[in-house]
Amino acid sequence: MSMVLFPPWIYVFDPPADLRHHLVKAERPAGYHLLFTDHSPQDQSQLLTVFNLRAAPWEQPYLTLLVFSVRLDAGRLAVQLVAVVLLTSILYLALQPSQK
């Protein structure tokens, strides 16, 4: 249950069209956070560090918080849920009393 309440998130960097000739869209893990809270990026310097971006002076006006977003990491959450279901099933079957 806690996996669903605290799912994994991903930071997304989507550069503006003016910078797409040398910057590409990228994603980085953003950790586990409560599902019902605001996860919008707030710290631009932290995000630039996470994505290893060093903006040239002419690029700085383009690299604002608007080019960063956060989304649910549905793939990782699905893998975690499947693993829990499989492990629970295996334990259930392994711990069943044998019928003689």
Side-chain angles (χ1 to χ4, degrees):
M1 184 64 157
S2 62
M3 281 190 304
V4 175
L5 288 176
F6 293 91
W9 297 88
I10 295 177
Y11 287 128
V12 179
F13 170 66
D14 192 11
D18 298 343
L19 298 178
R20 287 201 181 129
H21 62 280
H22 72 279
L23 293 176
V24 295
K25 184 175 182 175
E27 297 180 346
R28 300 286 187 274
Y32 293 82
H33 304 285
L34 186 61
L35 183 63
F36 304 109
T37 58
D38 180 28
H39 305 292
S40 59
Q42 303 294 324
D43 186 359
Q44 183 175 346
S45 61
Q46 175 201 8
L47 289 168
L48 291 174
T49 302
V50 166
F51 285 94
N52 199 22
L53 295 172
R54 290 178 186 84
W58 65 271
E59 293 174 325
Q60 288 180 357
Y62 298 101
L63 295 178
T64 65
L65 286 176
L66 297 175
V67 298
F68 297 99
S69 61
V70 67
R71 71 174 174 82
L72 183 68
D73 190 347
R76 190 167 19 151
L77 181 60
V79 168
Q80 291 173 346
L81 291 172
V82 167
V84 166
V85 169
L86 285 174
L87 288 174
T88 303
S89 300
I90 290 169
L91 283 173
Y92 177 77
L93 293 174
L95 299 176
Q96 284 288 334
S98 60
Q99 304 266 338
K100 290 187 180 181

